[in-house]
């Protein structure tokens, strides 16, 4: 009888613990007003030999626990077709790529190399990119004022509240918008969301980091399908890190 009670207690303890969420340390800045948050969101300025693209899409830094990478959305390459680029490769006419908070050109992240360059991957239309809408970069010098986001290790759940941090294309304020969203359906490499914040201009918000209630990175704004938005999941980002042998906290 004692043996049976011991086994039952162990069983309840084991499976009871599996149903409990593991406590997560909230990023300290999440307790502050948004106006006091560190610089998280960035925008992109890309120079080719005959063209400059200024303030296109959003971007951000990622702290893998071992290194820091720069990140933005892959479908930004659709703009570069004007420079005769047909694949995910910056080509011979590329000069420079800088990331910086909008309106703060003195805080620059200077890109050194595109890690997941692929001269065999054709630049596709939006719907072909949503499952892999991440490009990752090495960069030269890190600005201490720009805060790299930490990766969340667990998937988002249906109904969970998340937030995007970034600018619309026509938005000129130095302060990025914080947009409240709710996860509608998680499909693994990407998930659908409903926007809860009212009167949001969606144009140009691609590439914005998406964070959870604790300030951890859970995705990247990718686009829109009908009345639902699309977020690229960090699940695919982790696939890239594994593919290129980049260490990260798991």
């Amino acid at each position: 009888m004692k043996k049976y009670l011991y086994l039952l207690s162990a069983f309840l303890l084991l499976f009871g613990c599996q149903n409990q969420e593991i406590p997560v340390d909230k990023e300290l800045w999440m307790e502050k007003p948004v106006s006091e948050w560190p610089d998280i969101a960035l925008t992109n300025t890309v120079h080719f030999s005959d063209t400059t693209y200024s303030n296109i899409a959003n971007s951000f830094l990622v702290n893998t626990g071992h290194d820091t990478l720069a990140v933005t959305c892959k479908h930004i390459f659709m703009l570069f077709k004007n420079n005769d680029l047909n694949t995910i490769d910056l080509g011979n006419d590329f000069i420079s790529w800088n990331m910086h908070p909008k309106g703060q050109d003195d805080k620059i992240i200077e890109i050194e190399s595109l890690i997941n360059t692929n001269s065999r991957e054709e630049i596709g239309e939006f719907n072909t990119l949503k499952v892999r809408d991440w490009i990752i970069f090495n960069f030269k010098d890190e600005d201490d004022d720009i805060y790299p986001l930490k990766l969340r290790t667990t998937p988002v759940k249906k109904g969970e509240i998340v937030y995007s941090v970034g600018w619309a294309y026509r938005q000129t304020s130095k302060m990025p918008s914080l947009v409240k969203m709710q996860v509608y359906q998680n499909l693994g490499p990407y998930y659908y969301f409903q926007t809860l914040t009212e009167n949001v201009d969606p144009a140009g918000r691609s590439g914005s980091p998406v964070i959870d209630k604790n300030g951890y990175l859970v995705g990247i704004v990718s686009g829109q399908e009908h009345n639902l938005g699309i977020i690229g999941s960090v699940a695919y980002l982790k696939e890239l890190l594994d593919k290129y042998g980049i260490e990260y906290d798991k």
Side-chain angles (χ1 to χ4, degrees):
M1 185 66 178
K2 289 183 177 179
K3 181 178 180 181
Y4 170 78
L5 290 174
Y6 172 79
L7 290 175
L8 179 61
S9 299
F11 178 86
L12 292 173
L13 179 61
L14 173 62
F15 287 92
C17 289
Q18 286 185 340
N19 291 327
Q20 294 179 0
E21 290 189 7
I22 299 173
V24 175
D25 291 331
K26 178 178 286 191
E27 291 281 66
L28 296 178
W29 45 268
M30 286 292 290
E31 303 288 355
K32 300 179 180 179
V34 176
S35 60
E36 297 179 19
W37 283 11
D39 287 320
I40 296 170
L42 308 170
T43 188
N44 302 284
T45 298
V46 187
H47 298 273
F48 291 92
S49 59
D50 60 352
T51 312
T52 297
Y53 299 91
S54 299
N55 296 319
I56 54 171
N58 290 269
S59 51
F60 53 97
L61 300 184
V62 174
N63 176 3
T64 68
H66 301 265
D67 199 358
T68 306
L69 304 173
V71 176
T72 191
C73 55
K74 187 185 289 183
H75 72 263
I76 198 172
F77 267 80
M78 292 168 64
L79 292 174
F80 302 157
K81 284 187 175 183
N82 296 331
N83 290 77
D84 296 324
L85 293 181
N86 298 309
T87 62
I88 307 302
D89 189 322
L90 289 169
N92 297 324
D93 293 330
F94 171 73
I95 295 178
S96 65
W97 189 317
N98 292 330
M99 298 178 177
H100 54 88
K102 203 164 190 175
Q104 301 183 62
D105 296 348
D106 56 323
K107 297 181 180 180
I108 289 178
I109 298 296
E110 186 177 354
I111 296 305
E112 188 170 47
S113 63
L114 172 58
I115 295 174
N116 58 323
T117 183
N118 189 346
S119 59
R120 293 177 295 178
E121 181 180 356
E122 294 185 2
I123 298 172
E125 296 305 316
F126 164 70
N127 286 338
T128 68
L129 287 177
K130 64 186 181 184
V131 297
R132 58 183 195 281
D133 200 10
W134 298 77
I135 47 176
I136 54 178
F137 301 87
N138 290 313
F139 58 93
K140 294 183 180 179
D141 295 314
E142 187 170 347
D143 191 312
D144 292 337
D145 291 331
I146 298 173
Y147 190 84
L149 294 167
K150 298 170 185 173
L151 289 170
R152 175 164 140 178
T153 58
T154 56
V156 296
K157 300 176 182 178
K158 181 177 180 178
E160 183 174 347
I161 301 299
V162 295
Y163 305 87
S164 69
V165 187
W167 294 271
Y169 180 73
R170 290 182 287 270
Q171 186 177 342
T172 57
S173 62
K174 289 185 178 182
M175 180 69 64
S177 298
L178 182 71
V179 179
K180 185 178 182 179
M181 306 175 294
Q182 187 171 37
V183 177
Y184 180 79
Q185 185 180 19
N186 187 348
L187 296 174
Y190 65 97
Y191 46 95
Y192 291 105
F193 68 88
Q194 294 173 315
T195 301
L196 301 182
T197 301
E198 296 181 352
N199 302 319
V200 174
D201 179 4
R205 293 190 183 277
S206 292
S208 298
V210 180
I211 60 176
D212 66 7
K213 64 181 181 181
N214 295 312
Y216 288 83
L217 180 69
V218 294
I220 185 171
V221 171
S222 186
Q224 188 87 12
E225 277 190 13
H226 307 297
N227 63 335
L228 293 175
I230 296 174
I231 295 174
S233 170
V234 293
Y236 180 75
L237 174 60
K238 291 176 183 177
E239 286 183 25
L240 283 179
L241 300 180
D242 288 333
K243 179 178 178 179
Y244 291 95
I246 299 171
E247 287 189 86
Y248 63 96
D249 288 343
K250 301 181 180 181

